[in-house]
Amino acid sequence: MVLGGKMKIIIIGGVAAGMSAAAKASRLNKEAELVIYEKTEVVSWGACGLPYYVGNFFESPNNMIARPVEKFIEAGMNIKIKHEVIAIDVDKKEVTVKNLVTGETFIDNYDKLMVATGAHAIMPPIKNLSTKGVYTLKDYTDGIILKEEMLKDENQDIVIVGAGYIGLEVAEAAKHLGKRSVRIIQLGDRVLLESFDKEITDVMEEEIRTHEGVELHLEEIVQEIVEENGKVVKVKTNKGEYPADIVVVSTGVRPNTAFLKETGIEMLGNGALVIDNHGRTSIDSIYSAGDCATVPHLVRKENVYIPLATTANKIGRIVGENLAGVETEFQGTLGSAAVKVMDVEAGRTGITESEAIKMGINYKTVFIKDKNQTNYYPGREDIFVKLIYDADTRVLLGGQIAGKKGAVLRVDSLATAIYAKLTVDEIGMMDFCYAPPFARTWDVMNVAGNVAK
Ligand code: FAD
């Protein structure tokens, strides 16, 4: 379908959400004038590759760029890099833009606007956090700088603050580079506290602890960065002091929406723009998606903040369609996500048990340990499955799988099952595929479904 209609569309931010919207809107409405303002020099790149770039799993940072900015411009896309939008007047429908090269500011008008400004790393209240040697891993340049430092021989003791997805992936990166010590310090009592239940994080923690030189500190607070000659040498916590050549702070992200505060646009407490299934914000003609916005949750039936590339791309595309005049809707997120740390991988979808408790629903769970495949084919490993389901209807509400081989992609079947509102009994009999290198005749998900009482 190609739509007509002259209008001016402005998109702020040129990565997953912004470029997905731009690509779709420009394809659907060839008459619309579209401008993308991006404050950095790179667009359309994948931050998800950063830990693997830093860990030297691949060499060139260009591998993370899906399409260079020049290619977009050649294709007729009006992208203004090094341009930051600093204010929006929602009544006049105009944005104030700062050219970061010349320092000049100017006004641009829109008929429809998309805010796709992403998020920034949270800096916790740690003394001397601006010391040299302390880094975050969020932006493209963060990756370049951190890798440069990680590759230096003199930097051997790595401290990671926070054990979420990024913290654990950085731990793997540092281990891959053969660093002398990799220390993960986590305020909470488990790794991946927000996204997985204890049964699964226990599996992850056990794996992390088997690796020589990798230390996991739980329920510990980093209080101070100790410097010598202007560079970090130690971190001080409430429990001890540890040597550090590099400190990576990975304690979560916060939406880049401070410049919208005066507009009266509806936000969550953390600044995430509240959007509906079309990607519409509370202000007419303004759309949003990605790490700066909420996501409608399919099971929780509320707007949540789960900043992931998967949803940024999908809702970005939906916004692109809506910007062009096609009223499509996002079906809702399940918060499906995956992580790998050294030799173990884990995936999750739907709600966790902690979320079920918060929702106050009548739920049950099942947790099993099984094998990923037959015993006679090389590579048999333990695999762990947890299912969360409605105690009355037996409909699946959430699932988490961890293991060394074949764990994560099984979670996609559970996501489909939740979307289709299948019961655990149906999962118990589902025709999952089988051949000796991949599964057992009764796959671990069949077993979990059948064990669910
Ligand atoms: P961003 O990618 O943050 O892009 C926003 C853009 O807007 C930026 O380029 C910024 O410069 C620009 N901008 C901001 N403010 C302005 C302004 N005022 N004017 C102009 N431009 C502006 N997700 C997954 O699903 N799986 C993973 O495995 C995964 N791994 C990750 C690993 C790391 C290390 C990181 C950091 C993230 C990871 N993510 C992962 C999350 C994923 O990268 C993000 O969800 C995704 O990049 C969000 O895209 P976005 O377009 O919303 O925001």
Side-chain angles (χ1 to χ4, degrees), residues 11-19 37-40 42-43 45-52 83-86 116-120 137-139 165-166 169-170 253 256 259 289-292 306-313 336-338:
I11 297 178
I12 316 173
V15 189
M19 292 314 287
Y37 289 111
E38 166 54 54
K39 69 177 184 182
T40 69
V42 262
V43 299
W45 71 285
C48 316
L50 282 173
Y52 307 101
H83 280 69
E84 180 176 5
V85 173
I86 53 175
T117 49
H120 60 275
L137 188 61
K138 180 72 185 75
D139 301 331
Y165 294 113
I166 297 174
E169 287 173 357
V170 171
V253 296
N256 292 325
F259 72 113
D291 285 10
C292 60
I306 305 180
L308 287 171
T310 43
T311 32
N313 278 282
S336 303

Side-chain angles (χ1 to χ4, degrees), residues 165 194-196 334-337 346-352 355 399-400 411:
Y165 294 113
E194 308 263 305
S195 5
F196 288 86
L334 290 170
S336 303
R348 52 94 67 218
T349 185
I351 56 166
T352 58
E355 285 173 296
Q400 298 158 50
V411 174

Side-chain angles (χ1 to χ4, degrees), residues 11 19 32 91 114 152 243 262 278 285 287 315 355 360 370 398:
I11 297 178
M19 292 314 287
D91 299 319
M114 179 194 194
K152 289 183 183 162
E262 305 305 313
H278 296 266
S285 305
Y287 295 76
I315 308 184
E355 285 173 296
D370 196 10

Side-chain angles (χ1 to χ4, degrees), residues 175-431:
K175 188 68 194 149
H176 191 246
L177 292 173
K179 295 298 169 190
R180 179 172 54 212
S181 76
V182 181
R183 203 176 296 275
I184 309 164
I185 305 180
Q186 161 83 330
L187 177 65
D189 62 353
R190 301 189 281 118
V191 301
L192 301 165
L193 192 58
E194 308 263 305
S195 5
F196 288 86
D197 287 325
K198 186 170 175 354
E199 295 90 332
I200 299 292
T201 57
D202 282 351
V203 174
M204 306 298 281
E205 289 169 11
E206 203 182 309
E207 161 68 19
I208 293 166
R209 290 196 161 109
T210 60
H211 290 267
E212 215 187 294
V214 182
E215 300 283 336
L216 181 60
H217 300 242
L218 300 173
E219 296 183 275
E220 195 161 337
I221 309 167
V222 178
Q223 295 171 323
E224 185 179 344
I225 306 292
V226 181
E227 58 154 303
E228 251 170 44
N229 304 322
K231 189 178 180 298
V232 56
V233 287
K234 262 193 292 194
V235 295
K236 258 190 203 170
T237 73
N238 58 333
K239 294 186 181 169
E241 293 188 1
Y242 311 103
D245 300 312
I246 288 179
V247 176
V248 181
V249 178
S250 52
T251 51
V253 296
R254 192 161 290 146
N256 292 325
T257 54
F259 72 113
L260 295 171
K261 266 212 174 107
E262 305 305 313
T263 62
I265 199 164
E266 189 186 352
M267 298 180 185
L268 293 187
N270 70 346
L273 303 185
V274 176
I275 57 166
D276 65 9
N277 292 55
H278 296 266
R280 292 181 295 220
T281 68
S282 63
I283 293 184
D284 183 42
S285 305
I286 304 186
Y287 295 76
S288 186
D291 285 10
C292 60
T294 59
V295 197
H297 198 290
L298 206 58
V299 180
R300 285 170 55 179
K301 306 272 183 245
E302 60 176 336
N303 275 315
V304 298
Y305 186 63
I306 305 180
L308 287 171
T310 43
T311 32
N313 278 282
K314 288 173 188 129
I315 308 184
R317 180 188 288 192
I318 298 275
V319 168
E321 290 170 350
N322 281 271
L323 286 170
V326 188
E327 296 222 337
T328 47
E329 280 187 62
F330 181 57
Q331 62 204 31
T333 186
L334 290 170
S336 303
V339 64
K340 176 177 173 289
V341 198
M342 271 70 91
D343 297 329
V344 76
E345 59 181 49
R348 52 94 67 218
T349 185
I351 56 166
T352 58
E353 185 170 0
S354 317
E355 285 173 296
I357 293 168
K358 277 189 206 138
M359 286 167 73
I361 54 177
N362 189 19
Y363 73 92
K364 280 187 175 174
T365 68
V366 60
F367 175 68
I368 63 157
K369 173 182 168 185
D370 196 10
K371 297 291 177 189
N372 65 323
Q373 60 175 69
T374 50
N375 58 349
Y376 47 80
Y377 188 86
R380 186 158 103 137
E381 297 286 355
D382 289 340
I383 189 162
F384 302 82
V385 176
K386 177 165 180 176
L387 301 180
I388 296 102
Y389 56 101
D390 187 298
D392 305 316
T393 63
R394 301 180 62 73
V395 166
L396 185 69
L397 301 172
Q400 298 158 50
I401 307 186
K404 291 199 170 168
K405 200 175 148 209
V408 157
L409 288 181
R410 278 183 167 93
V411 174
D412 286 340
S413 304
L414 298 182
T416 311
I418 296 171
Y419 184 77
K421 298 191 168 48
L422 300 187
T423 63
V424 279
D425 311 293
E426 286 170 307
I427 292 164
M429 283 294 158
M430 187 56 61
D431 185 17

